[in-house]
Amino acid sequence: MTPGPGGSRPRLGYGTNGLADLRLDDALGLLADLGYDGVGLTLDHMHLDPLAPDLPARTARLARRLDALGLTVTVETGARYVLDPRRKHGPSLLDPDPDARATRAGLLRTALRIAEELGAHAVHCFSGAPPAGTPAPVAWQRLAAGLAPLLDTAATARVPLAVEPEPGHLLATLDDFHHLRTLLGAPDPAVLGLTLDLGHCHCLEPLTPADCLRAAAPWIHHVQIEDMRRGVHEHLPFGDGEIDFPPLLAALTELTAAGYPGLTVVELPRHSHAGPELARSSLSFLRSREVAPC
């Protein structure tokens, strides 16, 4: 990595899945006014619906808006019901129905096109939870087979796919990510890498979140941050969990100084009712605890 724009100060964003009660234009204006560097844009029915008509025109308008506000972006695909109004995060690439798996792959392909138009850092994605009764080898084969053709799309778009280890999913840990890389023949990190949620690291990884950052650095394209408790997958506002933030933010500063160009996005998807205030207080919390690089 070479040093990224803006020196070694981590570039902070806020996820639109935590601002679901705001129109997208209002959410972006809020984040720019507060002083955020960028936004984690979750494609959903209220924020750049990927299934609604006139997507190219709407994406082009959004690109102009982001540019005018000076915000960078990562595209996220974790909307709960964007594909199926009855199944949270369904269908996934693990679905037993090949047509359903193709629907998820289609969303990721659309997300890559959107990301290319927006100049995004990455497209976030996840494995999904294995359907009941699915043997692990079958689930891993489906995941690898679903992602493999998307790597060519990512390479053409020059936007990496960034897989997120998610508690309760097939791909839940950093070790699982490396297992996927092995199944796919160790693709270039510029094409397939990580979304690293630092709360998830605290929740279930054996390493501290700071050490997870250091261990995963070569593959990181997107970072999410919130507070959390060990063993409990609940995204919490800063100060409501157990994470020791000064060493974690020091590791983020190291990552940025080494050339990480992406965002660290506050991820509070169940707190939209207080989104504007939490966006303000989260930025204040993180900036007040930053550690100057050595």
Side-chain angles (χ1 to χ4, degrees), residues 260-279:
Y260 169 63
L263 291 167
T264 296
V265 169
V266 178
E267 183 80 358
L268 293 172
R270 297 185 180 180
H271 290 78
S272 286
H273 62 282
E277 172 54 26
L278 280 170

Side-chain angles (χ1 to χ4, degrees), residues 233-244:
H233 183 206
E234 181 182 2
H235 291 235
L236 299 172
F238 298 116
D240 288 0
E242 303 167 340
I243 295 177
D244 183 12

Side-chain angles (χ1 to χ4, degrees), residues 94 135-145 170-171 176 179-180 183:
L94 309 182
V138 172
W140 281 109
Q141 188 277 329
R142 288 175 185 166
L143 179 60
L170 176 69
L171 197 156
D176 292 336
H179 178 59
L180 173 65
L183 292 176

Side-chain angles (χ1 to χ4, degrees), residues 81-290:
Y81 297 101
V82 67
L83 294 178
D84 188 330
R86 293 173 176 82
R87 286 194 297 162
K88 181 180 177 181
H89 293 155
S92 77
L93 294 175
L94 309 182
D95 200 288
D97 180 355
D99 290 338
R101 297 198 298 273
T103 298
R104 173 60 62 175
L107 175 65
L108 295 177
R109 194 168 286 108
T110 296
L112 285 163
R113 290 196 294 267
I114 291 170
E116 182 180 18
E117 178 71 19
L118 298 180
H121 298 296
V123 168
H124 149 279
C125 60
F126 54 85
S127 69
T134 304
V138 172
W140 281 109
Q141 188 277 329
R142 288 175 185 166
L143 179 60
L147 287 175
L150 294 170
L151 301 184
D152 289 338
T153 306
T156 300
R158 297 185 179 180
V159 179
L161 281 171
V163 183
E164 179 186 7
E166 179 85 18
H169 283 204
L170 176 69
L171 197 156
T173 66
L174 290 174
D175 285 348
D176 292 336
F177 168 71
H178 290 298
H179 178 59
L180 173 65
R181 289 187 66 250
T182 299
L183 292 176
L184 288 169
D188 192 316
V191 176
L192 180 72
L194 274 166
T195 291
L196 192 66
D197 187 305
L198 300 171
H200 295 173
C201 293
H202 180 77
C203 179
L204 51 70
E205 294 283 357
L207 299 176
T208 68
D211 286 338
C212 286
L213 266 175
R214 296 184 178 102
W219 298 279
I220 293 175
H221 292 299
H222 184 43
V223 177
Q224 297 172 341
I225 191 168
E226 66 282 316
D227 215 340
M228 202 168 286
R229 300 186 183 97
R230 183 73 179 166
V232 181
H233 183 206
E234 181 182 2
H235 291 235
L236 299 172
F238 298 116
D240 288 0
E242 303 167 340
I243 295 177
D244 183 12
F245 282 96
L248 176 52
L249 294 173
L252 271 172
T253 297
E254 293 172 14
L255 183 74
T256 307
Y260 169 63
L263 291 167
T264 296
V265 169
V266 178
E267 183 80 358
L268 293 172
R270 297 185 180 180
H271 290 78
S272 286
H273 62 282
E277 172 54 26
L278 280 170
R280 183 201 63 77
S281 61
S282 296
L283 185 64
S284 177
F285 180 96
L286 294 172
R287 289 295 186 216
S288 69
R289 287 160 176 80
E290 286 179 347

